[in-house]
Amino acid sequence: MPQQAARSWESGVESVVQCVVDTMRERYSEPLTLDDLADAALMSKFHLLRVFSRVVGVTPGRFLSAVRLHEAKRLLNSTDLTVAEVSERVGYGSPGSFARRFTEAVGLSPTQYRRLDAGVLPAAARHGFADGGATGCGSLSGRVLADSEVEGVVYVGVFDSPILQGRPRAWTAVPRPGTFTLTGVPSGSWYVHALARRPDAPRNPGETDGAIMTDAVGPVVTEGMGREVELTLRPPCWSCPPVLSALPFFEQSLLAAG
DNA sequence: AGAACACGGTGTGTCCAAGG
DNA sequence: CCTTGGACACACCGTGTTCT
């Protein structure tokens, strides 16, 4: 295929995937299936699965799940809806199932997450965040660059997913973009995520849309010492899955709680 | 080469119950 | 009212193969 034709094909695929992402963001509260999304994209579900994964980096199901849980975070912080009501609004049929997925993705249960806003957090919920999460004996270092100005510290964490979700296996905070070293990284294949607040970012943990800059690399195989990575913080683009982990606001909450 | 299909394993959501 | 855990069903995913 000539280069120009290849570029045209790629841009066509991107616009189809963007359409699917838009559909997810608009209709996350409905029981969307891969078939529905494939219909919207005018292609088979088999092909959609392939092109979506190639462009976005995660499967359609995982992306949709991230969109739903991100909206749940916003509702928990900006409304008085019960957890069950939030669960229903974002498309989950079972509050129990919602609470479990939320806890896995965010690192805190829905009620614990809601309390973050008030700077109140049970001691049990600190485990895995407050100690840097480190459980291994390897290390990983590198450099974080930034597209534009950032406010406050830069967080760097090791996660098991290309989506910034759950509790990091190890994390650190550095005062500004620059070099970092992560210790206690378990051996394995990980995704390294970096994130920081933009100067105009709201303080509300639920309002992360457009308020932060992120970057990720991976999978990075760590075995002992010596891995070097480089990340460049940028505002989230349309194909970036929402940030689900409570990590960027956890340290702030710890400080507020004393 | 790209698109569609088949299939087995895996992951996710639901339901239910128990306990805080 | 919320969280957690187990069992179950089924949709989803990854991979290999076939078709155009």
Side-chain angles (χ1 to χ4, degrees):
Chain A
M1 194 188 295
Q3 272 194 352
Q4 198 174 351
R7 272 198 299 274
S8 163
W9 182 85
E10 283 295 340
S11 70
V13 164
E14 264 199 24
S15 67
V16 166
V17 171
Q18 188 165 4
C19 169
V20 171
V21 168
D22 289 344
T23 301
M24 288 182 185
R25 293 190 197 278
E26 287 164 14
R27 296 172 55 192
Y28 60 82
S29 60
E30 301 173 26
L32 281 177
T33 65
L34 192 59
D35 282 322
D36 296 330
L37 297 169
D39 285 346
L42 299 176
M43 60 173 64
S44 77
K45 61 180 179 181
F46 311 105
H47 189 48
L48 173 63
L49 179 63
R50 275 194 173 83
V51 298
F52 192 97
S53 302
R54 191 162 71 205
V55 172
V56 177
V58 298
T59 61
R62 290 183 194 279
F63 192 97
L64 178 59
S65 180
V67 169
R68 285 176 166 157
L69 293 173
H70 184 257
E71 176 63 10
K73 285 171 68 179
R74 192 189 67 75
L75 290 173
L76 285 167
N77 278 118
S78 61
T79 71
D80 291 328
L81 295 173
T82 65
V83 172
E85 287 167 337
V86 170
S87 155
E88 190 182 345
R89 291 234 185 157
V90 299
Y92 280 86
S94 157
S97 177
F98 164 72
R100 189 193 304 185
R101 300 297 163 223
F102 188 97
T103 304
E104 285 171 2
V106 177
L108 301 170
S109 72
T111 47
Q112 286 173 348
Y113 179 78
R114 179 169 260 166
R115 287 177 197 154
L116 264 185
D117 209 19
V120 179
L121 200 65
R126 301 180 183 200
H127 179 71
F129 274 121
D131 60 2
T135 56
C137 56
S139 69
L140 194 150
S141 59
R143 196 157 59 119
V144 180
L145 309 173
D147 244 8
S148 55
E149 202 179 336
V150 304
E151 182 187 86
V153 300
V154 177
Y155 297 91
V156 184
V158 175
F159 293 77
D160 55 10
S161 165
I163 298 177
L164 213 172
Q165 64 178 9
R167 296 192 172 202
R169 298 308 177 104
W171 69 274
T172 187
V174 293
R176 64 190 67 82
T179 58
F180 69 88
T181 300
L182 278 169
T183 55
V185 181
S187 293
S189 180
W190 310 107
Y191 290 84
V192 185
H193 291 265
L195 69 159
R197 270 193 294 277
R198 299 169 75 170
D200 53 348
R203 288 289 173 179
N204 185 331
E207 300 295 336
T208 52
D209 260 350
I212 58 169
M213 302 205 295
T214 64
D215 194 22
V217 296
V220 174
V221 178
T222 58
E223 277 185 46
M225 323 284 282
R227 280 310 302 256
E228 291 261 345
V229 298
E230 183 170 300
L231 303 106
T232 303
L233 294 166
R234 299 184 185 87
C237 61
W238 65 267
S239 63
C240 293
V243 173
L244 299 179
S245 174
L247 173 61
F249 299 96
F250 190 81
E251 186 176 75
Q252 185 187 337
S253 174
L254 279 177
L255 292 173

